[in-house]
Amino acid sequence: MAYKQYVLICGGTGCESNKSDTIYKNFLSLLEKENLQSDVQVLKTGCFGFCEQGPIVKVLPDESFYVQVKPEDAEGIVNEHLIKGRPVSNLLYNKEQSKEFAKVDDIEFYQKQFRVVLRNCGFINPEDINEYIARDGYAALEKALFEMSPDDIIEELKISGLRGRGGAGFPTWRKWAFSKAVESDVKYIVCNADEGDPGAYMDRSVLEGDPHSVLEAMTIAAKAVGATKGFIYVRAEYPLAIHRLKVAIKQSREMGLLGEDIMGSGFSFDIEIRLGAGAFVCGEETALLASIEGSRGTPRPRPPFPAVKGLWGKPTVINNVETLANIPVIITRGGKWFSGIGTETSKGTKVFALTGKINNSGLVEVPMGTPLRDIVFNIGGGIPNGKKFKAVQTGGPSGGVITEEYLDTPIDYENLQKLGSIMGSGGMIVMDEDDCMVNVAKFYLGFTVDESCGKCSPCRIGGRKLYNLLDKISKGNGTMEDLETIKEIGHTMQKASLCGLGQTAPNPVLSTMRYFEDEYKAHIIDKTCPTGKCVDLVTYTIISDKCIGCGLCARRCPVNAISGEKKQPHLIDQTKCIKCGECYAACKFSAIEKK
Amino acid sequence: MAKMTLEQLRKLREEKKKQLDMRDPDNKQIHIVVGMGTSGIAAGAKDTLDAFLRCIENRGLTNVAVRQVGSFGLDYAEPTVEVVMPDMPRVIYGKVTPDVAEKIVLEHIIGKKLVENHVYDRPAADIVDKE
């Protein structure tokens, strides 16, 4: 007997950390109590993408979209919605949707999205291979094994125009063709799941919500280039993704979709998981390979490229998670279908992790060529608290900022590069008027300096020098010559560094200098930070006319720098003040000035 | 689980697809809305709901969504069911026993003809959508 209703609960890392697992268990036990377990199917899916509103619970067939659900809300949903058929209106995303046909499609966040990579995330139970199979899973593998030659597969990819989603945008078919052309007794397929950009989590979500799509794609790649062994290099910080991958690998091995003689085709391929310790440089392909081999994760000069000489000197295809997740769809629906999406040079869709000063943060998948404005203002719902938009950082620490005047640029690999940024893995951090660009650049450089492996001097020394210069500027000690030095070091690093980490490390500072020169000058010439983010340039003073002497600021001050009699204007001792801003936030009478 | 051949995988996919289709809200233009208020349940609406699901499954209809709502207010005619589909007026059926449910699927949804003896009035105007 079929189920009458379905409860889909988000099981992504974000919602899981907000107790979605408890919600899931509550549903199960409540339904058992009401003896409804054969009528209602409860399942945990991958990420729905709308992380801002998590944990999310979706009830089908009504399509009610419950947001910010707490474990105790399960009872109300079971009693009211599942038993009595009345949606719990105060939990619905759009409160007016309490009427009968509440549609997920009505939510603006989803309207402009187009889901190819995330097609199964939030819809299937990722720990059940049957659900993936029901969504045409492993149909592409069938086709690749029984109906297509390796050249056919590569040709299909060529038609599709798919380019690497790890950042650089190298045509995927070409990488595969290089590997195929090399004669070798052993070849490898490696999935790069070492997602390290601050603010990016699309690869994690694909692994958590749809792990089989990656396994299927790797097997197809193996058939195309003649590989027998695959590795998924995933960082140990992603325990849920690792767990789901293990379950998926086990299930597909048991069904004979992985391992010896797949589906009786005579083709054999198996996959192992390798855990990374969370070093940013290990996302760079040659460093990643060194790490799999058991050495320290440092890059080596290319060529030879891994496609020709990779793991243990053998030809190795390395693709990023998102790239791979596209491949089964390309094989089943055809390269031509895929190339119909996107722009002239960038085909298909791109998943962005939208975070920062934005109302609807979450995972967003849009066709290539969608203007940034659509992503930030329509899907993302704009900037919170009525603040003004300042910039978007794309590509994480390897990218740069895009300012208001370029918001209408269609996003693709080339356009972003022209603006001095990059696509990168797809992290997108929105900044508002309160963010200081010097501070932002300093933050990213701090990250890349920490993560530099130290093998080549442009990156090791150049990065540190750049950081020190920015630190000097942010403390009000910078000179105009420093700006020239930054440019000089930056350009040298771009040319001379060994790998992508060093080559792109100066991007955030160069790009913020390009668009926000005034802000740098304010720090250097006027010795002020216009947004007040650089603590060394800020002073807090009490305006004695406005102070009523309530003493709240003095009580909040962690270092007892504020003194004064009751009902008398207080005073801040500048030598003691650590500029934490607690007093500024606490004062109810706007009596504290920040300058 | 034993290793599968190509044929077995294809068979499994077809089978699982049907199950998943029941859950997929897209492409479902036809809605059967069963009133599951207290009076409806007392009059046997649960059996009616089961009958609909069984019948839809047996006929292999994939574009029909069966949903449950509270009472329509037509308590004298429970169990009550509303059918919404393109090219047909929205109709509320009353006294829908499992037999009638089957008739509705065959005649209304497949045959596109009203099941005459069971059509009841629409609910009061103030709770109807302004169309």
Side-chain angles (χ1 to χ4, degrees):
Chain A
M1 189 65 217
Y3 292 106
K4 290 169 192 157
Q5 282 162 305
Y6 307 87
V7 178
L8 274 57
I9 300 165
C10 177
T13 292
C15 288
E16 195 104 302
S17 61
N18 261 317
K19 298 187 186 146
S20 79
D21 194 49
T22 319
I23 299 174
Y24 174 73
K25 284 180 187 142
N26 283 359
F27 267 105
L28 287 183
S29 68
L30 284 164
L31 289 171
E32 199 172 333
K33 211 169 95 196
E34 300 287 345
N35 207 16
L36 286 171
Q37 65 271 48
S38 57
D39 286 352
V40 184
Q41 188 185 20
V42 184
L43 34 107
K44 238 198 292 180
T45 69
C47 181
F48 285 95
F50 204 177
C51 306
E52 179 77 33
Q53 297 285 343
I56 289 166
V57 172
K58 201 156 115 180
V59 178
L60 297 174
D62 315 45
E63 282 198 72
S64 298
F65 196 79
Y66 292 119
V67 294
Q68 295 177 2
V69 178
K70 293 182 194 68
E72 59 269 25
D73 293 332
E75 198 172 347
I77 298 176
V78 171
N79 288 340
E80 284 296 306
H81 190 152
L82 299 179
I83 297 178
K84 294 180 188 155
R86 294 192 290 242
V88 186
S89 50
N90 62 344
L91 291 174
L92 285 173
Y93 171 62
N94 188 346
K95 309 268 189 290
E96 290 138 40
Q97 283 182 355
S98 55
K99 276 186 281 173
E100 40 181 325
F101 301 102
K103 282 257 178 186
V104 174
D105 295 348
D106 294 339
I107 299 174
E108 207 176 23
F109 180 74
Y110 288 107
Q111 274 171 359
K112 291 214 171 178
Q113 296 202 40
F114 186 78
R115 300 186 139 213
V116 176
V117 173
L118 301 175
R119 61 194 179 277
N120 291 326
C121 289
F123 194 79
I124 62 167
N125 175 358
E127 297 189 20
D128 184 353
I129 189 172
N130 289 321
E131 299 222 329
Y132 179 68
I133 289 174
R135 296 274 281 184
D136 280 330
Y138 291 105
L141 182 62
E142 267 181 49
K143 215 168 150 186
L145 287 184
F146 294 96
E147 293 164 30
M148 297 169 90
S149 71
D151 286 322
D152 291 342
I153 299 173
I154 292 173
E155 182 60 26
E156 205 62 53
L157 275 192
K158 189 178 173 182
I159 296 170
S160 77
L162 178 68
R163 296 168 67 177
R165 300 292 194 247
F170 191 77
T172 306
W173 73 270
R174 202 172 276 164
K175 214 184 228 182
W176 291 20
F178 282 151
S179 231
K180 181 182 172 282
V182 183
E183 283 288 332
S184 175
D185 51 341
V186 185
K187 292 181 189 178
Y188 298 102
I189 306 292
V190 171
C191 167
N192 182 350
D194 190 73
E195 190 173 44
D197 286 19
Y201 55 102
M202 43 260 137
D203 290 350
R204 188 189 77 202
S205 294
V206 171
L207 295 175
E208 284 173 5
D210 197 14
H212 284 285
S213 65
V214 175
L215 304 185
E216 185 179 4
M218 286 175 75
T219 316
I220 294 168
K223 155 92 191 209
V225 305
T228 48
K229 176 97 199 175
F231 293 97
I232 301 177
Y233 188 88
V234 53
R235 48 175 51 210
E237 287 147 49
Y238 285 179
L240 192 61
I242 295 164
H243 167 72
R244 300 231 165 111
L245 272 174
K246 281 184 182 160
V247 172
I249 290 176
K250 185 167 171 275
Q251 286 176 347
S252 49
R253 265 192 208 139
E254 279 171 0
M255 282 200 165
L257 299 168
L258 203 60
E260 291 288 315
D261 190 17
I262 295 170
M263 284 186 278
S265 65
F267 180 74
S268 303
F269 178 71
D270 210 348
I271 297 174
E272 275 181 48
I273 299 175
R274 284 288 180 273
L275 300 189
F280 187 61
V281 71
C282 287
E284 205 283 330
E285 54 183 15
T286 55
L288 187 153
L289 295 180
S291 179
I292 292 182
E293 288 172 356
S295 314
R296 188 172 166 171
T298 53
R300 61 158 174 82
R302 298 174 303 175
F305 288 96
V308 179
K309 236 178 155 160
L311 268 182
W312 296 287
K314 305 290 181 185
T316 304
V317 167
I318 305 180
N319 287 132
N320 157 274
V321 173
E322 195 186 331
T323 317
L324 289 169
N326 275 301
I327 286 165
V329 192
I330 292 174
I331 300 296
T332 35
R333 302 193 69 164
K336 212 165 161 235
W337 172 83
F338 190 83
S339 69
I341 313 163
T343 65
E344 196 54 45
T345 54
S346 309
K347 300 298 186 189
T349 61
K350 178 76 193 90
V351 185
F352 292 103
L354 195 58
T355 51
K357 307 279 178 64
I358 186 96
N359 277 316
N360 304 334
S361 70
L363 275 194
V364 168
E365 182 171 355
V366 289
M368 292 275 190
T370 304
L372 252 179
R373 191 183 294 280
D374 274 0
I375 299 177
V376 175
F377 290 95
N378 294 336
I379 298 170
I383 318 295
N385 308 322
K387 299 273 174 155
K388 211 172 151 293
F389 170 87
K390 188 164 186 178
V392 185
Q393 172 89 15
T394 68
S398 313
V401 290
I402 293 170
T403 51
E404 172 124 47
E405 57 183 315
Y406 299 104
L407 271 184
D408 291 308
T409 318
I411 300 185
D412 65 11
Y413 292 101
E414 278 71 23
N415 281 340
L416 286 180
Q417 205 144 25
K418 261 184 249 156
L419 295 177
S421 183
I422 60 162
M423 179 80 76
S425 55
M428 209 174 245
I429 299 170
V430 183
M431 290 172 264
D432 70 8
E433 52 188 310
D434 291 344
D435 289 306
C436 167
M437 288 299 143
V438 178
N439 202 32
V440 165
K442 193 174 134 187
F443 166 79
Y444 282 116
L445 260 166
F447 178 84
T448 40
V449 166
D450 274 353
E451 295 287 347
S452 170
C453 77
K455 188 171 181 177
C456 70
S457 35
C459 175
R460 182 184 64 242
I461 300 168
R464 171 53 71 183
K465 282 261 172 205
L466 281 186
Y467 180 84
N468 289 349
L469 285 170
L470 281 171
D471 191 49
K472 192 174 150 199
I473 294 171
S474 76
K475 290 198 163 97
N477 303 324
T479 60
M480 288 305 282
E481 286 101 73
D482 288 343
L483 294 184
E484 289 310 309
T485 319
I486 287 176
K487 277 186 202 156
E488 214 170 293
I489 297 176
H491 291 142
T492 311
M493 285 176 75
Q494 286 177 333
K495 286 204 183 76
S497 294
L498 190 52
C499 80
L501 193 158
Q503 286 158 7
T504 59
N507 282 0
V509 52
L510 293 178
S511 119
T512 48
M513 271 170 65
R514 176 166 158 192
Y515 295 112
F516 297 96
E517 211 187 341
D518 289 352
E519 250 180 80
Y520 278 86
K521 282 186 181 154
H523 284 75
I524 294 169
I525 299 167
D526 311 331
K527 314 276 178 219
T528 57
C529 174
T531 59
K533 276 279 149 89
C534 295
V535 285
D536 294 292
L537 295 180
V538 175
T539 41
Y540 291 95
T541 41
I542 291 175
I543 309 165
S544 51
D545 291 353
K546 283 187 179 170
C547 180
I548 63 150
C550 68
L552 186 62
C553 55
R555 281 203 298 281
R556 284 282 177 82
C557 180
V559 291
N560 295 324
I562 305 178
S563 58
E565 293 293 313
K566 253 190 182 167
K567 295 190 181 169
Q568 294 298 318
H570 282 47
L571 204 70
I572 301 177
D573 181 350
Q574 297 298 342
T575 55
K576 280 188 185 172
C577 178
I578 56 163
K579 300 168 185 187
C580 65
E582 275 293 310
C583 53
Y584 182 77
C587 183
K588 293 193 171 85
F589 306 96
S590 312
I592 294 175
E593 193 180 27
K594 175 170 147 186
K595 226 171 32 189
Chain B
M1 228 178 290
K3 285 203 169 192
M4 285 201 297
T5 61
L6 184 57
E7 286 68 41
Q8 282 166 331
L9 176 67
R10 286 186 176 155
K11 219 179 116 209
L12 179 77
R13 181 177 299 121
E14 282 316 307
E15 198 184 300
K16 296 290 170 190
K17 214 172 207 163
K18 270 188 205 149
Q19 285 175 19
L20 208 69
D21 272 340
M22 308 283 286
R23 193 161 91 205
D24 192 351
D26 294 336
N27 316 319
K28 287 203 177 19
Q29 299 104 342
I30 305 173
H31 296 270
I32 297 175
V33 186
V34 184
M36 295 281 273
T38 304
S39 54
I41 291 169
K46 278 191 170 161
D47 294 335
T48 306
L49 183 74
D50 284 340
F52 272 118
L53 287 167
R54 203 171 42 239
C55 197
I56 288 162
E57 201 182 358
N58 290 344
R59 302 265 152 199
L61 302 174
T62 53
N63 58 343
V64 185
V66 181
R67 47 179 96 232
Q68 310 172 33
V69 295
S71 173
F72 290 122
L74 290 161
D75 289 21
Y76 68 102
E78 294 286 4
T80 47
V81 172
E82 183 174 14
V83 181
V84 186
M85 63 185 283
D87 306 324
M88 290 287 279
R90 284 171 87 125
V91 180
I92 290 183
Y93 289 110
K95 299 200 169 137
V96 184
T97 58
D99 289 345
V100 180
E102 212 170 323
K103 236 173 147 179
I104 290 174
V105 173
L106 293 180
E107 293 181 16
H108 186 121
I109 290 172
I110 298 175
K112 297 208 169 180
K113 238 171 59 199
L114 297 184
V115 183
E116 287 301 346
N117 296 330
H118 289 273
V119 179
Y120 279 73
D121 274 336
R122 298 178 58 85
D126 59 340
I127 59 164
V128 178
D129 274 350
K130 287 183 187 70
E131 284 174 63

